Amino acid sequence: MSSILFSIKDGVGIITLNRPDVLNSFNKEMALAMQHALDTCANDNSIRCIFITGAGRAFCAGQDLAEAIAADGPALQSIVKDHYNPIIERIRTIEKPIVCGVNGVAAGAGANIALACDITIAATNASFIQAFSKIGLIPDSSGTFTLPRLIGMQRATAYMMLGDKISAEQAQQIGMIYKVCTAETFADEAMTIATQLATMPTLALGLTKRALNASLTNNLQQQLALEEPLQTPAGKSHDYNEGVNAFLEKKSPLFIGN
Ligand code: T3D
């Protein structure tokens, strides 16, 4: 059975973490397969949104700890450098919207992969745990970059040091994730959002992501200087023409993604 399931539906590339017996924790094979699936999504123009979720009762319990301590397993440094960092770099630099559907517990690297996505939606039974401190590690997979920017330094520090379990509702209330859905409606609601994004002006959404990424480190002047040249290719796109004409003609636009 493949550790990553991949399919395409209505312009959405669907990546499902699939090691449910170990709560979809990552081993080397799964990490490399995830990188490959993200590359496929990046390179296929028919894919205009990416949806990441987990099989079974969990989203992802982070690193497979049995593999991490196995004598013949990958070295710790290689796990971070070759498994997780390339996943996060892809998630942040692929200029297409990436939706994460957190269907259950997300712990360790699993939590931080979920939080690195553009729009994170969770089921009410889902939770987030910065589990690293409980086993003597530091938060990786961009957690120390992402979490304080999402929820502020105090809360991020407390969650990372104490390793508290954060419920989906709590995560939504403090701005850590976009939305919570009931377990019954979660799968449909998350896919509806992903499918909607796949019908939108992909070029403009990708450039929006580029600008938002830069805003994490730019000052106002740098950000204004970036927005101006990014608006030019957006304004020259088919989808801009389509959007404006559809507005003026009071009809629904048909965006093609560029
Ligand atoms: O070298 C490095 O490690 C560097 C990389 C670091 C990145 C990281 O992600 S470090 C953080 C690693 N993850 C964790 O520490 C989380 C470990 N898991 C848990 O704390 C709990 O499993 C959960 C809180 C996530 C869920 O708890 P619960 O009670 O719902 O489930 P469970 O009974 O603990 O787990 C179910 C099964 O999954 C169980 O196997 P069994 O007993 O049925 O055969 C358990 O051993 C297995 N499992 C859960 N998480 C992992 C795992 N197996 C391997 N690795 C895991 N991370």
Side-chain angles (χ1 to χ4, degrees), residues 20-23 25 57 61-66 68 75-76 79-80 84 105 107-110 129 131-132 135 137 140-141 165:
D21 292 349
V22 285
L23 307 188
S25 56
R57 74 175 173 93
Q63 172 60 33
D64 183 324
L65 295 174
L76 189 135
I79 290 174
V80 175
Y84 298 114
V105 65
I129 310 173
F132 307 88
I135 55 168
L137 289 180
D140 57 25
S141 303
K165 181 191 272 197

Side-chain angles (χ1 to χ4, degrees), residues 202-216:
T202 314
L203 176 75
L205 298 188
L207 295 174
T208 302
K209 182 167 174 174
R210 194 189 303 179
L212 288 170
N213 278 339
S215 79
L216 297 170

Side-chain angles (χ1 to χ4, degrees), residues 19-179:
R19 301 181 74 225
D21 292 349
V22 285
L23 307 188
N24 303 321
S25 56
F26 273 94
N27 61 8
K28 179 176 180 176
E29 192 269 322
M30 182 162 121
L32 299 185
M34 172 91 170
Q35 293 171 22
H36 179 70
L38 287 166
D39 286 342
T40 301
C41 292
N43 296 328
D44 184 338
N45 288 337
S46 75
I47 295 175
R48 291 168 57 191
C49 178
I50 302 167
F51 181 62
I52 302 173
T53 193
R57 74 175 173 93
F59 172 68
C60 173
Q63 172 60 33
D64 183 324
L65 295 174
E67 179 191 69
I69 58 154
D72 59 349
L76 189 135
Q77 191 197 356
S78 160
I79 290 174
V80 175
K81 182 165 150 293
D82 301 327
H83 300 185
Y84 298 114
N85 289 358
I87 290 173
I88 299 298
E89 278 167 16
R90 282 165 171 80
I91 288 173
R92 289 313 320 150
T93 57
I94 293 174
E95 293 195 340
K96 299 178 182 183
I98 304 186
V99 176
C100 187
V102 183
N103 52 301
V105 65
N112 290 336
I113 287 170
L115 299 179
C117 293
D118 297 310
I119 298 179
T120 304
I121 301 164
T124 37
N125 57 297
S127 57
F128 298 81
I129 310 173
Q130 294 291 330
F132 307 88
S133 62
K134 295 185 172 175
I135 55 168
L137 289 180
I138 71 138
D140 57 25
S141 303
S142 75
T144 56
F145 182 84
T146 309
L147 197 58
R149 285 168 171 79
L150 288 173
I151 64 171
M153 189 65 93
Q154 269 283 326
R155 280 179 166 139
T157 305
Y159 288 139
M160 287 178 160
M161 289 191 173
L162 296 168
D164 293 339
K165 181 191 272 197
I166 309 161
S167 70
E169 279 98 345
Q170 210 180 348
Q172 195 259 332
Q173 280 161 13
I174 62 175
M176 208 172 100
I177 63 169
Y178 171 59
K179 193 171 182 180

